[in-house]
């Protein structure tokens, strides 16, 4: 079967590469365990690989046990709020900050807007670590997830919006249209990450030219979920984390399949999926009753 991969934006983005390299390097310093403030990136197989290198999330049990003075903790790529940094320092950790620089820039914009007197709203997922960390840098910023929430907002003198870096551009544009009506002075400072935008564009182009799409990435990866969303209107789309989730029968009757991958998907997982798909004879006849 022919496999067409998203040509440029599939697999580790710049921010994930940077965080990953820092974690791997830290694992080579001889410390038995390197702690993470949370999932370094949203990809379970990648997190398993880090665990095999001795890099794992800090747990409540670790904290209860104490004795963390001088140990290393890595702040996740999605960022952490100021309290998490202060807490790590108070416990005596050596802190490695793996926050993606694009996320750090968004955090700074949020603070600046608030200092300029704006009510800051962050469009993103309420439980996503990036949105939560960004809002934590403001005194009274808040996250909104839906247009309905935006419509229900009161009128502000000064209102500004920013966006979680991995949301869908079209969703954010719809939100901006509503927020414009909610303030005397409205400022749109949403900055969706360029990698995310290009990956979404490539996924749409690919999905429009193949019979089926496979999107490889973490189930909890926001940018991967958006790739699935933009592909689905164009062709049947599967979201998988690893090749083990695929069967030959899933591709019955197909000759050309597209492959997109999230920003935190390892190259080895992508390569395994491509090998699996390329080994399937083109246009396997559909199973009776399938
Ligand atoms: S998707 Fe963009 S914002 Fe998120 S880690 Fe990658 S480069 Fe940074």
């Amino acid at each position: 079967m022919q496999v067409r991969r998203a040509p440029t934006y599939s697999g580790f983005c710049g921010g994930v590469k940077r965080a990953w390299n820092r974690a791997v390097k830290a694992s080579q310093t001889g410390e038995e365990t390197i702690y993470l403030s949370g999932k370094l990136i949203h990809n379970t197989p990648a997190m398993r690989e880090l665990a095999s290198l001795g890099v794992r999330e800090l747990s409540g049990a670790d904290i209860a046990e104490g004795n963390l003075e001088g140990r290393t903790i890595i702040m996740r790529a999605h960022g952490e709020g100021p309290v998490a940094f202060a807490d790590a320092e108070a416990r005596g950790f050596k802190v490695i900050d793996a926050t993606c620089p694009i996320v750090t820039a968004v955090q700074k914009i949020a603070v600046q807007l608030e200092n300029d007197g704006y009510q800051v709203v962050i469009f993103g997922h309420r439980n996503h670590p990036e949105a939560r960390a960004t809002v934590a840098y403001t005194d009274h910023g808040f996250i909104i997830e839906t247009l309905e929430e935006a419509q229900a907002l009161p009128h502000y003198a000064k209102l500004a919006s920013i966006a979680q870096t991995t949301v869908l551009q079209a969703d954010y544009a719809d939100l901006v249209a509503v927020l414009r009506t909610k303030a005397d002075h409205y400022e749109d400072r949403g900055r969706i990450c360029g990698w995310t935008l290009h990956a979404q564009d490539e996924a749409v182009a690919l999905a429009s030219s193949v019979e089926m799409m496979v999107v490889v990435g973490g189930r909890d990866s926001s940018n991967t979920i958006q790739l699935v969303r933009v592909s689905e209107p164009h062709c049947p789309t599967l979201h998988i984390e690893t090749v083990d989730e695929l069967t030959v029968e899933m591709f019955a009757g197909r000759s050309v399949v597209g492959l997109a991958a999230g920003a935190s998907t390892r190259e080895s997982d992508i390569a395994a999926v491509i090998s699996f798909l390329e080994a399937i004879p083109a246009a396997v006849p559909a199973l009776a009753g399938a």
Side-chain angles (χ1 to χ4, degrees), residues 82-107:
V83 171
F85 277 92
D87 185 63
E89 288 200 7
R91 292 183 194 281
F93 276 113
K94 280 186 286 179
V95 175
I96 296 176
D97 186 3
T99 309
C100 172
I102 295 172
V103 173
T104 303
V106 173
Q107 293 168 349

Side-chain angles (χ1 to χ4, degrees), residues 134-158:
T134 300
V135 84
Y137 283 90
T138 67
D139 287 334
H140 35 256
F142 57 86
I143 300 168
I144 52 177
E145 284 188 333
T146 64
L147 276 187
E148 291 69 31
E149 288 174 49
Q151 277 150 356
L153 289 177
H155 198 84
Y156 294 93
K158 293 178 84 176

Side-chain angles (χ1 to χ4, degrees), residues 13-16 77-78 100-103 130 165-166 193-196 223 263:
C13 63
V16 167
H78 311 96
C100 172
I102 295 172
V103 173
E130 181 195 320
T165 53
T166 50
C193 160
W195 189 99
T196 301
N223 73 81

Side-chain angles (χ1 to χ4, degrees), residues 17-27 74 96-99:
K17 262 186 214 151
R18 181 174 173 273
W20 182 263
N21 290 342
R22 286 181 181 202
V24 171
K25 192 171 168 199
S27 76
I74 303 175
I96 296 176
D97 186 3
T99 309

